[in-house]
Amino acid sequence: MLRLLRAPVAARAARRAYSVDTLASYLFKQMDANKDGVCTLSEMEAFLLDHPDMGQKVKDIMVKASRKGTSAARAKPKNNMRFAATAAASVGKSPAGFEAGTVIRNEDAYFASERGNTVGVADGVGGWRRMGVDASEYPTKLTAAARDALSEDGFVSNLVSPAHLMQFAFDKTHVVGSCAVVMAAVRGVRLEVANVGDCACLVLRRGAVVFATDAMSHGPGKPYQLALQGADVPGDAEVAAYTLRLGDVVVCCTDGLLNNIPAAALPAYFKAFGAPQPQRGPGAAAALQAAVGGLVAAARERSQTPEGHNDDITCVVGLVGV
């Protein structure tokens, strides 16, 4: 189990800089970058998120550069991995135990972008129901904003870190409510993760959990959560990177899953995966969907027992390939 350490996003991004070349110089001109011709990855990501129309222009520059053999043609890492398939399942809590007439909704939300090689889940805070607020609206709009940003352009999508994507989605979400959220992206040969609250991201490899995030809490029953006007913000996210292998299964889930199925039991549901060359295409997607569907169904069944925890249960998974 890897314990994560938080550090400011800007501080980490500052360690990586892009020097002027055919690709970057174009972006620098648009950004009015420093005279020394260097901008941080953080600045580039923010610019591309705010200017999705630049995506095709960037691609055109890369094509021209590839014909000339410039460094821009090598901007894409040689050993890129990706999500060969993604799948998700989500089920709402049982109305048992709630007052008669209470409107019960699934207050979880998720997104999966194979184009952007990014997945995420958000867990709405049910306490808003007592104030007459639809607790599902905030996480739904937050994840929709993330998904929409990634759908703009494939190349731009693959430059954006989960931390910056979370900030972008947060800035676009203007409804009352709050949620815990975790986002994870395959970048090169690494998984990058940003987490706020008690959702979780895990990496499963050949029958074992080799990576897992820690829940972030202000105290018992007080997980971190993003809100329109709250104390916690995306800058508080716990971020990490983990080196992937082909066949790894990346799992992002709300606490409703892990409160009913322990993390150590998750690999058993995905034992059909893990080969060095994972299957791609409809077959892989169907098998992955069956696996995550079975996992969520098992968690839902246990949630209705005296030992279980009645909650919304959501899980989105990605199979790592090339």
Side-chain angles (χ1 to χ4, degrees), residues 23 26-27 47-48 51-64 67 115 151-157 159:
L23 170 61
Y26 173 77
L27 293 176
F47 177 77
L48 290 174
H51 299 80
D53 58 303
M54 292 294 175
Q56 187 56 51
K57 295 179 181 180
V58 168
K59 285 183 176 179
D60 292 342
I61 290 173
M62 291 185 71
V63 170
K64 292 178 182 179
R67 294 170 182 165
R115 188 177 190 184
S151 67
E152 293 290 346
D153 184 88
F155 175 74
V156 173
S157 298
L159 283 182

Side-chain angles (χ1 to χ4, degrees), residues 154-168:
F155 175 74
V156 173
S157 298
N158 281 288
L159 283 182
V160 178
S161 69
H164 284 91
L165 180 64
M166 186 182 294
Q167 181 68 61
F168 178 83

Side-chain angles (χ1 to χ4, degrees), residues 167-253:
Q167 181 68 61
F168 178 83
F170 176 77
D171 292 339
K172 295 288 185 180
T173 305
H174 305 295
V175 296
V176 176
S178 59
C179 69
V181 59
V182 64
M183 298 183 183
V186 177
R187 297 292 179 258
V189 297
R190 302 192 313 167
L191 181 73
E192 297 185 2
V193 182
N195 180 48
V196 174
D198 55 4
C199 292
C201 178
L202 308 92
V203 176
L204 314 183
R205 178 180 298 160
R206 300 188 181 186
V209 177
V210 295
F211 167 87
T213 56
D214 291 323
M216 300 175 65
S217 174
H218 295 290
K222 299 179 179 179
Y224 278 48
Q225 53 190 261
L226 300 184
L228 182 61
Q229 294 180 332
D232 304 324
V233 296
D236 296 318
E238 196 165 56
V239 297
Y242 187 77
T243 301
L244 295 168
R245 294 182 185 176
L246 296 179
D248 284 351
V249 175
V250 176
V251 177
C252 286
C253 61

Side-chain angles (χ1 to χ4, degrees), residues 6 12 17 22 35 38 85-86 99 140 213 222 236 243 271 274 276-277 284 287 312 317:
R6 279 185 287 162
R12 293 189 303 280
T22 305
K35 293 181 179 179
V38 173
T86 59
E99 293 182 6
T140 298
T213 56
K222 299 179 179 179
D236 296 318
T243 301
K271 58 186 177 183
Q277 295 295 333
D312 302 321
V317 298

